[in-house]
Amino acid sequence: SGTTDAALPKLTFTAEEESDMNSVMTNVNTYRSEFATKVIMGLESAEDFDKYTAKLKDFGIERVIGYYQAALERYNKR
């Protein structure tokens, strides 16, 4: 919808990558939302960011980053 659409490549993922990403990102997005709400409400401190990033790693966020890297490499080979 904006000028960024044309600037970003259309990445494609394998079925396996997409399935795993959907699972990981469901957990990541839920946790991100809950953590942000807790920070806003004062139940968590923004200083707990290391705990937050560790939890994202536990969910598999680094695999998702790897999938994006692999998709970008496939795109660049076209």
Side-chain angles (χ1 to χ4, degrees), residues 6-70:
L8 298 175
K10 174 67 175 136
L11 300 179
T12 55
F13 301 95
T14 68
E16 294 82 12
E17 289 170 342
E18 202 159 317
S19 175
D20 191 34
M21 283 188 345
N22 288 338
S23 175
V24 169
M25 292 310 296
T26 296
N27 291 330
V28 165
N29 290 331
T30 299
Y31 184 68
R32 177 189 45 82
S33 178
E34 289 171 354
F35 185 81
T37 300
K38 288 178 181 178
V39 169
I40 291 167
M41 295 177 64
L43 302 174
E44 292 270 3
S45 170
E47 294 172 2
D48 290 329
F49 194 72
D50 288 342
K51 180 178 89 172
Y52 171 77
T53 56
K55 188 71 169 172
L56 296 182
K57 288 178 183 180
D58 289 345
F59 286 138
I61 194 69
E62 290 177 328
R63 284 197 318 274
V64 172
I65 293 167
Y67 298 148
Y68 271 90
Q69 184 63 44

